[in-house]
RNA sequence: AGAGGGGUGUCCGAGUGGUUUAAGGAGCACGCUUGGAAAGCGUGUGUAGGUCUCAAGCUUACCGAGGGUUCGAAUCCCUUCCCCUCUACCA
C-alpha cells in the first residue's frame, strides 16, 4: 500500500508510476484520493474538537461530584448529554471517510522502480543475461510428461483419483528427487546466511492482507470452510507476516529467512496449451527466501538474492536467463522483479522457475513493519524470491539430462538423492 | 470439546466507574558522582492520527480485538481471538 504523505508530495511521480503499470485512470484516482484525504481530515478535526469539549465537561462533572456539588453536576450532565448524539455522528462520518479512503488506496499497485522497462506483456520484458547453452539432446528426446510415465516417477492419474487435476503423486525416485532438491536448496540458503523457518501453511485474513493477496486475490487461494483460513500460495505470506506489527531493532537488520512449504494455487482460469505436466500445478513445493532491510540497502539485497538463485541454477547445470519484468507484467506489490527462466529442452521453451522482487515499503506499510532510525520510526523494505520452486526445475532436469542410460542426476544432487540416474 | 482462571507500556506488575494525566519496580538512554567502573542520585523513556513552515506546544485514539452502556470505561455488558489449569480426546 502506498502512503498518503508520499502520494501528496509526489503526485506526478505517482501518476507516472501507476501508468507504467498500466493502472487505468491514474490521474483521476490520485486527485480523488487527495480530495478524500482532505475530507477525512476535516471530518476528523470536527469530531476531535467535539470530543475535546465533551472530555472537558466529563472531567468537570467528575470534580463537581467529588466536591459534593451534586446539583451543578446534574445540570452539566444534562447539558453534555445533548453533545453525545452529534459526536457519534461526527465520529461515524470520519470513520466512513477513512474507510472509503483506504478502500481506494489498497487498490493501487506499487510504483515501479525507475529501471523497470516500459511495456505491457511478457514480450516487453528485458533479458538481463543468459547463462549456459541449449543442451544437445537425442533425436527422440521426450517432454517430461512422457518421461515421468516412462520411468514411473510422477503419477498424475493417481493424483486425479485421490484429489483432482494438478495434484500429482511423486513415487520412488521421483519422490526422492523432490526430497533431495528441497534439502539441497535449504542447505544452500543456510550457507548463504539465511535462517530457516517452518511456518504454518494455513494463514488468516490479516496475513493475506499484509503481503497483498487480500482483498483482491482471494479467488486464487483455497479456503477452509469452517475457519475461513487460506492455504498459502507461497511461503512469502507466513514468513513475511512473522514481522507484521513489529518495530525491528535496527541492529537486527537485515533479516534473512528461508522456508520450505508446499504452495497451493487455484489457478482459476489460467489453464491452456502451455500448462501440461509439471508446468502448472495446484500444489507444489517451493523454497522461499525473504529479506527485510533498511531502505538504503534493499536494492543491493535484491542483486544478492538474484545471484543466489542464479548460483543454484548454475550448480544444477541448467541453461537459464534472467529477465527484468516490464511494468505491465510485474506483480501488484512489486517495485522491481527479476524472473529466472530455465530452459526446457524437449518443450523448447523457457520455464519460469523463480521470481525475485523488491517490494520496498509497499508490504511494510500494510504490515506496519518498521524500524527506528535516529529515534524516528520508518517503514522497512521487504524482499522475497523463490530459491527455488520444484516442479519446473524437475521438468528441466528430466528433459535436459535425458540420455540412453536414463536421466542423469546433477552431480551436486547425488549426495542428496543417493543415486546417479533415473532409469 | 467441557469447566474454571487470565490477557495492562520494552519486561514484571498494581489498578472493580470520576486528578489514572496508568502506581511501583526492572530494563534502556542521558547527566551528576568516580582515577575508571559498579553502586548511588537526578532526568527522560510507547504507537498512530490531527494542528503547526519546522520544532516545541496543544489535541484525539490506543490496557488482546470489535461493539455496547454512561456526562465519564483498563474497570460494567455483549461478541470474538489467544494463553494457562483440570477433564475428555488424540499423532
Amino acid at each position: 500500500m502506498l502512503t498518503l504523505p508520499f502520494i501528496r508530495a509526489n503526485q506526478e511521480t505517482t501518476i507516472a508510476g501507476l501508468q507504467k503499470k498500466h493502472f487505468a485512470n491514474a490521474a483521476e484516482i490520485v486527485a480523488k484520493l487527495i480530495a478524500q484525504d482532505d475530507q477525512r481530515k476535516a471530518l476528523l478535526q470536527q469530531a476531535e474538537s467535539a470530543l475535546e469539549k465533551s472530555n472537558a465537561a466529563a472531567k468537570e462533572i467528575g470534580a463537581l461530584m467529588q466536591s459534593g456539588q451534586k446539583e451543578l453536576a446534574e445540570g452539566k450532565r444534562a447539558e453534555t448529554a445533548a453533545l453525545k448524539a452529534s459526536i457519534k455522528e461526527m465520529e461515524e462520518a470520519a470513520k466512513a471517510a477513512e474507510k472509503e479512503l483506504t478502500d481506494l488506496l489498497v487498490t493501487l499497485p506499487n510504483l515501479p522502480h525507475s529501471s523497470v522497462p516500459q511495456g505491457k506483456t511478457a514480450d516487453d520484458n528485458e533479458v538481463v543475461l543468459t547463462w549456459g547453452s541449449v543442451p544437445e539432446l537425442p533425436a527422440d528426446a521426450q517432454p517430461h510428461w512422457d518421461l515421468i510415465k516412462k520411468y514411473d516417477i510422477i503419477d498424475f492419474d493417481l493424483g486425479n483419483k485421490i484429489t483432482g487435476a494438478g495434484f500429482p503423486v511423486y513415487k520412488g525416485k521421483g519422490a526422492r528427487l523432490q526430497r533431495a532438491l528441497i534439502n539441497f536448496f535449504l542447505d544452500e540458503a543456510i550457507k548463504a546466511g539465511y535462517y530457516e523457518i517452518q511456518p504454518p501453511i494455513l494463514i488468516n485474513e490479516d496475513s493475506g492482507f499484509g503481503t497483498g493477496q487480500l482483498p483482491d486475490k482471494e479467488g486464487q487461494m483455497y479456503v477452509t470452510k469452517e475457519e475461513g483460513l487460506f492455504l498459502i500460495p507461497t511461503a512469502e505470506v507466513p514468513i513475511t507476516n512473522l514481522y507484521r506489527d513489529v518495530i525491528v531493532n535496527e541492529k537486527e537488520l537485515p533479516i534473512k529467512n528461508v522456508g520450505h512449504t508446499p504452495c497451493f494455487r487455484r489457478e482459476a482460469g489460467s489453464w491452456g496449451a502451455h500448462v501440461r505436466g509439471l508446468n502448472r500445478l495446484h500444489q507444489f513445493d517451493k523454497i522461499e527466501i525473504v529479506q527485510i532491510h533498511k531502505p538504503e540497502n534493499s536494492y543491493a539485497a535484491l542483486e544478492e538474492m538474484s545471484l543466489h538463485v542464479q548460483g543454484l541454477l548454475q550448480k544444477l547445470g541448467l541453461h537459464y536467463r534472467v529477465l527484468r519484468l516490464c511494468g505491465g507484467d510485474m506483480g501488484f506489490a512489486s517495485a522491481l522483479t527479476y524472473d529466472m527462466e530455465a530452459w526446457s529442452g524437449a518443450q523448447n521453451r523457457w520455464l519460469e522457475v523463480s521470481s525475485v522482487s523488491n517490494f520496498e515499503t509497499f508490504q511494510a506499510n500494510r504490515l506496519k513493519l518498521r524500524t527506528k532510525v535516529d529515534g524516528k520510526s520508518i517503514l522497512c523494505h521487504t524482499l522475497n524470491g523463490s530459491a527455488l520452486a520444484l516442479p519446473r526445475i524437475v521438468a528441466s532436469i528430466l528433459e535436459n539430462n535425458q540420455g540412453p542410460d536414463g536421466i542423469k542426476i546433477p552431480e551436486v544432487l547425488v549426495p542428496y538423492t543417493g543415486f546417479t540416474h533415473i532409469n
Side-chain angles (χ1 to χ4, degrees):
Chain A
M1 186 160 70
L2 301 175
T3 67
L4 267 167
F6 178 89
I7 295 175
R8 278 184 170 277
N10 303 280
Q11 297 185 35
E12 297 302 315
T13 316
T14 304
I15 293 166
L18 291 174
Q19 283 167 345
K20 201 176 192 181
K21 277 213 167 175
H22 297 271
F23 184 80
N25 306 321
E28 289 91 322
I29 287 188
V30 166
K32 192 173 166 198
L33 268 173
I34 288 170
Q36 257 171 12
D37 191 38
D38 289 339
Q39 199 201 359
R40 175 193 67 103
K41 282 184 185 174
L43 288 168
L44 194 65
Q45 271 175 50
Q46 226 179 21
E48 284 190 354
S49 73
L51 259 177
E52 191 180 344
K53 265 184 223 154
S54 127
N55 282 347
K59 208 176 271 184
E60 265 180 71
I61 292 170
L64 290 172
M65 298 283 271
Q66 208 96 88
S67 62
Q69 296 167 273
K70 258 202 147 149
E71 274 174 35
L72 278 172
E74 286 299 333
K76 198 85 189 169
R77 179 189 294 186
E79 219 175 280
T80 47
L83 257 175
K84 259 195 86 170
S86 68
I87 287 179
K88 201 173 170 189
E89 240 170 72
M90 283 186 251
E91 278 188 316
E92 269 166 16
K95 220 182 250 185
E98 173 140 26
K99 186 178 182 306
E100 213 174 312
L101 184 66
T102 38
D103 282 354
L104 184 57
L105 199 55
V106 297
T107 65
L108 298 191
N110 199 3
L111 304 179
H113 186 255
S114 59
S115 70
V116 167
Q118 293 283 354
K120 199 157 188 179
T121 69
D123 298 330
D124 302 316
N125 293 336
E126 172 193 329
V127 179
V128 178
L129 66 90
T130 304
W131 186 90
S133 53
V134 175
E136 282 176 35
L137 296 187
D140 60 346
Q142 294 176 292
H144 71 267
W145 49 84
D146 290 333
L147 293 168
I148 59 173
K149 276 190 185 159
K150 180 173 171 189
Y151 297 113
D152 195 23
I153 51 173
I154 301 176
D155 195 321
F156 278 88
D157 294 333
L158 276 179
N160 282 341
K161 180 165 82 176
I162 61 170
T163 306
F167 291 91
V169 175
Y170 303 85
K171 304 192 294 187
K173 284 187 172 176
R176 291 167 69 187
L177 177 59
Q178 291 281 115
R179 191 152 52 83
L181 283 166
I182 291 164
N183 283 328
F184 170 65
F185 291 147
L186 281 174
D187 285 351
E188 289 293 312
I190 289 164
K191 272 189 228 163
Y194 289 86
Y195 179 75
E196 185 174 351
I197 300 283
Q198 253 187 47
I201 57 178
L202 273 71
I203 51 118
N204 59 30
E205 205 174 317
D206 286 346
S207 297
F209 177 81
T211 33
Q213 280 71 27
L214 298 177
D216 221 25
K217 296 167 210 33
E218 61 263 75
Q220 288 299 327
M221 291 191 283
Y222 292 93
V223 198
T224 68
K225 202 172 188 177
E226 301 297 329
E227 297 84 3
L229 298 174
F230 298 91
L231 277 73
I232 56 168
T234 157
E236 161 196 347
V237 180
I239 292 179
T240 312
N241 271 281
L242 296 176
Y243 305 96
R244 171 152 49 83
D245 288 319
V246 171
I247 299 179
V248 185
N249 191 322
E250 196 181 350
K251 285 178 224 151
E252 286 164 32
L253 294 173
I255 289 169
K256 295 172 74 173
N257 288 169
V258 62
H260 155 247
T261 66
C263 301
F264 302 90
R265 298 186 183 181
R266 293 188 61 220
E267 302 288 5
S270 66
W271 297 81
H274 286 311
V275 295
R276 280 190 74 176
L278 295 170
N279 290 353
R280 178 155 294 155
L281 300 173
H282 286 308
Q283 177 180 336
F284 61 95
D285 284 80
K286 181 159 63 65
I287 286 74
E288 182 79 2
I289 50 178
V290 172
Q291 295 203 18
I292 297 168
H293 277 270
K294 286 163 76 176
E296 63 267 30
N297 299 329
S298 68
Y299 278 96
L302 182 68
E303 295 306 316
E304 177 211 301
M305 290 167 79
S306 162
L307 287 176
H308 177 74
V309 172
Q310 292 183 54
L312 299 175
L313 293 165
Q314 289 172 15
K315 284 176 188 171
L316 292 173
L318 294 173
H319 175 41
Y320 72 85
R321 64 178 189 176
V322 178
L323 303 177
R324 193 195 308 263
L325 296 194
C326 73
D329 201 33
M330 296 172 69
F332 175 74
S334 171
L336 179 57
T337 298
Y338 291 121
D339 270 11
M340 284 70 180
E341 297 186 328
W343 181 253
S344 156
Q347 299 179 68
N348 280 309
R349 55 183 282 245
W350 295 103
L351 296 179
E352 180 192 334
V353 292
S354 175
S355 192
V356 184
S357 302
N358 187 353
F359 302 91
E360 296 189 359
T361 61
F362 192 83
Q363 291 183 329
N365 188 30
R366 290 171 161 239
L367 293 159
K368 296 193 171 56
L369 162 53
R370 291 155 292 177
T371 188
K372 285 219 167 161
V373 174
D374 299 328
K376 281 181 99 177
S377 76
I378 57 161
L379 293 169
C380 294
H381 281 197
T382 62
L383 306 95
N384 65 55
S386 2
L388 286 157
L390 296 220
R392 294 177 193 164
I393 291 290
V394 170
S396 297
I397 290 175
L398 295 178
E399 293 182 11
N400 297 0
N401 294 10
Q402 58 186 306
D405 47 355
I407 288 151
K408 190 174 180 309
I409 299 297
E411 238 161 70
V412 287
L413 284 182
V414 172
Y416 290 95
T417 54
F419 52 84
T420 59
H421 287 79
I422 295 174
N423 45 27

